[in-house]
Amino acid sequence: MDPPDIESVLKDWEDLSVEYKDLEILNRQYQEKLEEISELQEKCLKGISHQKYRIGIIKQASKKLRKGLDKELVERLDTVEKEEEQRLAQLYEMEQILPKQNGRYLKIILGNVNVSILNKNDKFKYKDEYEKFKLVLSGIGFLMSVLNLILNYRAVELAFIFLLVWYYCTLTIRESILKVNGSRIKGWWRLHHFISTAAAGILLIWPDTTAWQLFRTQFMWFNAYISFVQYLQFVYQQGVLYRLKALGERHNMDITIEGFHSWMWRGLSFLLPTLFIGYFFQLYNAYTLYKLSYHPTATWHVPVLAVMFFIIFWGNIRTTGIVVFQKLDSKDRAKLQYRVMGQRDSSASKNQEEKPKKTN
Ligand code: COA
């Protein structure tokens, strides 16, 4: 290869400088678009809160007026109410592609970094990844519980309990990010994972006494069972996720709201019994720990964990009960319909209502 001569180096540099000028123009355009976008985002956010505020006022006024009206006007108010619900669903969908402030918990642990995901596909991927993360960790949890049932080494059991602390702590962060990005996850499930983090922390520092040894085997069986339940939850949640995605896709007519509901109930009829067995296992843990708290080697960890298991049992059974009753209510179906319609354009949603082709 010939050694480079000065002329060609200078020429290369000049060529590159010309290219750089184009890049500068492109970058300036990009900055302008970014500014434009942030102005549009602000305007949209203002518009949404204005709509919500006025819907609230109209709702209050309709409520007061309803009593003295004749049938025809009441029917008109009913129509307005339905349209309001639909509008709220549409506003919710608009919010999904706008940046949102972090909650207090995320602000504390992450600082004021923006965790809003503005693209629907990326949101879907994040949720999918969250479900897969839980599946992998529950698989590891299952293996470690079985290992601890076979072996009784303090180091192995501590490694397992430490994994639980880390796992639940990570879930609280991921779920807070999901919440910022519009997930309708109930407050209890998030609180449940906070309590589970604390409970796992207490288990980690529970000294290796006879009281612990008396609880240990039951605890490992409990974890093995919970891992199995989590696997079933994964299958159900993945099904919901992919079906909702299909429902929200404008040209996808392979799945209808009817089809979604019948699939959902089939999934739940399989999942719910296993969940309730898990809840009674939690109650049984609380009872065993309560009895163990009278054991001579019991430390403060035992009654505290008994109370925590009881709270978890009660919160789980109550919330799952509420979720099931909400799903039985016909309003839930309407909400789902509004949610899907919010994601589609009006013509496509009409199409969906008019041409129900049931497959699931
Ligand atoms: N953990 C995390 N997210 C949950 C959740 C849970 N336990 N339960 C529901 N969600 C999420 C859903 O994925 C959905 O998210 P999205 O808005 O991002 O789509 C949102 O919360 C609303 O879900 P919802 O319609 O209320 O319920 P569902 O049909 O998705 O699930 C159950 C209903 C009962 C199957 C589900 O809540 C569940 O599995 N609960 C049991 C959890 C439990 O008890 N764990 C301990 C095991 S013993």
Side-chain angles (χ1 to χ4, degrees):
M1 214 173 101
D2 294 337
D5 67 287
I6 181 72
E7 285 305 317
S8 75
V9 169
L10 288 174
K11 178 148 187 349
D12 278 355
W13 175 243
E14 267 168 35
D15 288 349
L16 196 62
S17 300
V18 171
E19 282 174 23
Y20 178 71
K21 288 264 177 284
D22 293 341
L23 180 62
E24 260 187 336
I25 294 168
L26 204 63
N27 185 254
R28 209 170 305 131
Q29 280 173 354
Y30 172 64
Q31 280 182 10
E32 279 166 12
K33 293 268 181 242
L34 275 185
E35 275 165 29
E36 223 176 283
I37 283 182
S38 74
E39 270 172 34
L40 284 175
Q41 283 174 338
E42 224 165 276
K43 278 186 192 162
C44 282
L45 284 170
K46 270 192 191 150
I48 290 172
S49 54
H50 174 73
Q51 285 275 332
K52 279 188 179 168
Y53 173 72
R54 291 202 61 190
I55 288 175
I57 291 179
I58 295 169
K59 267 190 173 175
Q60 273 181 354
S62 320
K63 216 178 177 181
K64 279 185 196 154
L65 282 171
R66 192 174 270 277
K67 279 172 201 153
L69 295 179
D70 60 36
K71 204 179 153 209
E72 200 183 316
L73 287 172
V74 169
E75 274 172 10
R76 278 181 69 185
L77 278 186
D78 286 344
T79 316
V80 170
E81 220 168 78
K82 271 190 188 161
E83 284 172 2
E84 280 167 359
E85 289 302 317
Q86 187 176 336
R87 176 77 51 81
L88 286 173
Q90 285 164 330
L91 293 175
Y92 174 84
E93 288 306 324
M94 282 183 191
E95 279 176 331
Q96 300 317 301
I97 47 168
L98 288 166
K100 254 196 194 164
Q101 284 276 324
N102 288 352
R104 199 174 304 154
Y105 178 60
L106 279 184
K107 270 188 191 156
I108 292 170
I109 50 170
L110 298 181
N112 214 0
V113 65
N114 183 7
V115 294
S116 300
I117 307 170
L118 302 184
N119 174 308
K120 282 206 171 129
N121 241 356
D122 291 344
K123 268 186 215 278
F124 169 82
K125 275 192 211 149
Y126 189 73
K127 177 79 191 239
D128 189 44
E129 202 208 296
Y130 158 79
E131 295 296 345
K132 284 179 181 149
F133 169 78
K134 287 204 292 188
L135 179 74
V136 170
L137 265 291
S138 44
I140 298 173
F142 179 79
L143 292 178
M144 292 202 75
S145 318
V146 173
L147 190 66
N148 276 295
L149 281 168
I150 299 166
L151 307 172
N152 191 348
Y153 286 126
R154 187 70 178 149
V156 181
E157 80 192 13
L158 285 180
F160 173 49
I161 299 170
F162 181 76
L163 180 79
L164 289 180
V165 177
W166 177 79
Y167 169 62
Y168 285 118
C169 191
T170 313
L171 283 193
T172 63
I173 301 169
R174 285 187 181 239
E175 282 159 3
S176 301
I177 295 176
L178 284 170
K179 187 78 189 158
V180 169
N181 286 293
S183 172
R184 290 165 171 90
I185 177 170
K186 298 243 175 329
W188 166 255
W189 302 128
R190 290 174 62 212
L191 182 61
H192 173 194
H193 293 142
F194 280 104
I195 299 174
S196 302
T197 310
I202 294 173
L203 279 161
L204 193 65
I205 55 170
W206 182 352
D208 189 7
T209 55
T210 312
W212 162 248
Q213 288 301 326
L214 288 172
F215 181 62
R216 188 184 179 279
T217 308
Q218 181 175 328
F219 177 70
M220 296 305 167
W221 275 113
F222 170 71
N223 275 295
Y225 182 75
I226 289 300
S227 302
F228 166 66
V229 176
Q230 279 175 344
Y231 167 70
L232 294 184
Q233 276 177 276
F234 169 80
V235 174
Y236 172 80
Q237 290 295 350
Q238 281 295 94
V240 171
L241 190 62
Y242 280 83
R243 278 169 178 78
L244 277 180
K245 186 170 188 268
L247 270 169
E249 275 164 8
R250 228 184 302 171
H251 306 296
N252 194 328
M253 291 290 137
D254 293 343
I255 177 163
T256 63
I257 287 170
E258 282 304 314
F260 175 79
H261 260 257
S262 70
W263 174 87
M264 182 189 78
W265 281 113
R266 255 184 290 140
L268 282 177
S269 61
F270 199 60
L271 177 59
L272 287 174
T274 48
L275 279 177
F276 280 93
I277 293 172
Y279 300 157
F280 285 103
F281 210 149
Q282 284 161 350
L283 181 64
Y284 180 54
N285 285 345
Y287 172 72
T288 308
L289 286 162
Y290 165 72
K291 280 199 5 193
L292 272 178
S293 65
Y294 292 100
H295 194 274
T297 63
T299 47
W300 63 268
H301 313 77
V302 187
V304 172
L305 281 168
V307 172
M308 282 180 146
F309 268 108
F310 185 79
I311 294 173
I312 290 175
F313 153 75
W314 178 244
N316 281 348
I317 207 159
R318 189 175 170 274
T319 312
T320 302
I322 292 172
V323 169
V324 172
F325 277 107
Q326 277 173 352
K327 285 184 186 295
L328 284 169
D329 190 345
S330 60
K331 276 188 201 152
D332 185 73
R333 189 178 300 227
K335 269 188 202 156
L336 179 66
Q337 190 134 2
Y338 292 141
R339 187 172 165 188
V340 172
M341 282 159 79
Q343 287 180 45
R344 296 176 175 179
D345 62 30
S346 55
S347 63
S349 57
K350 264 188 205 151
N351 207 0
Q352 146 77 23
E353 280 176 312
E354 281 160 12
K355 283 203 292 176
K357 180 183 142 207
K358 188 174 172 292
T359 44
N360 42 37

